[in-house]
């Protein structure tokens, strides 16, 4: 009985020691991050789709985005990403002038070209979609290319909210 207890305690102690070493190495930025990316959009919006009114805006008085994310090759550590896009769309036809803000609240996964997570969408300073599931796509394309954010709405359906812009700047780097 004592021998069995000694083996169990030894195995547990070794597991704790190895886990602590892995955590310390990951906090130092060693090995776990493959690469990180960042893109910006400055006044080059492509389209916003409003789920509530079905209005589609393609002309903007202001359109700015900043986002960054890191890729991981292990499931032991969570994905890291930030995204904030804001636009001012003037009135067009039957569509009223509106301001929009798409904010990534929680990241569920990332890779080279996609950021998935939960989003808050603000329309004219009011919360229009709270913690809605969505993804940013085509994030790995070069400067001048378009990217898109599609957010599902529990009332209006899959991909009901859209925010699309052109990449005006990007930075990419890999961990040495």
């Amino acid at each position: 009985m004592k021998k069995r207890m000694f083996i169990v305690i030894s195995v547990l102690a070794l597991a704790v020691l190895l886990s602590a070493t892995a955590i310390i190495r990951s906090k130092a930025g060693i090995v776990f991050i493959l690469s990180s990316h960042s893109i910006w959009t400055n006044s080059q919006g492509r389209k916003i789709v409003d789920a509530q009114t079905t209005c589609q805006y393609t002309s903007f008085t202001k359109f700015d985005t900043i986002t960054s994310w890191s890729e991981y090759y292990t499931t032991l550590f969570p994905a890291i990403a930030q995204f904030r896009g804001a636009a001012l769309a003037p009135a067009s036809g039957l569509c009223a002038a509106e301001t929009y803000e798409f904010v990534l609240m929680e990241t569920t996964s990332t890779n080279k070209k996609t950021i998935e997570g939960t989003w808050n969408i603000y329309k004219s300073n009011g919360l229009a979609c709270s913690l809605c599931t969505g993804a940013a796509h085509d994030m790995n394309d070069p400067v001048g290319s378009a990217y898109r954010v599609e957010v599902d709405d529990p009332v209006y359906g899959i991909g009901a909210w859209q925010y699309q812009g052109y990449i005006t700047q990007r930075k990419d780097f890999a961990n040495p």
Side-chain angles (χ1 to χ4, degrees), residues 40-165:
W40 296 269
T41 299
N42 298 314
S43 300
Q44 292 195 18
R46 183 175 184 204
K47 180 166 74 169
I48 288 182
V49 176
D50 184 318
Q52 296 172 338
T53 63
T54 66
C55 286
Q56 294 189 24
Y57 297 93
T58 57
S59 176
F60 303 97
T61 305
K62 189 163 180 70
F63 193 101
D64 293 306
T65 303
I66 185 166
T67 184
S68 62
W69 71 101
S70 294
E71 297 176 48
Y72 284 86
Y73 75 92
T74 177
T75 57
L76 297 175
F77 298 95
I80 297 173
Q82 295 82 33
F83 185 104
R84 184 173 179 204
L88 173 57
S92 174
L94 298 175
C95 298
E98 301 283 0
T99 58
Y100 293 93
E101 188 171 5
F102 283 61
V103 181
L104 180 64
M105 301 304 292
E106 182 181 0
T107 308
T108 54
S109 71
T110 61
N111 61 40
K112 188 174 185 176
K113 62 182 180 175
T114 306
I115 301 169
E116 294 180 349
T118 54
W119 301 73
N120 277 358
I121 299 172
Y122 298 90
K123 176 181 170 182
S124 294
N125 298 321
L127 188 57
C129 196
S130 177
L131 300 177
C132 297
T133 305
H137 303 279
D138 303 323
M139 304 298 280
N140 63 325
D141 290 343
V143 170
S145 299
Y147 62 90
R148 70 189 195 291
V149 175
E150 296 176 342
V151 179
D152 303 340
D153 189 293
V155 175
Y156 302 105
I158 295 172
W161 294 95
Q162 293 183 32
Y163 181 93
Q164 300 177 19

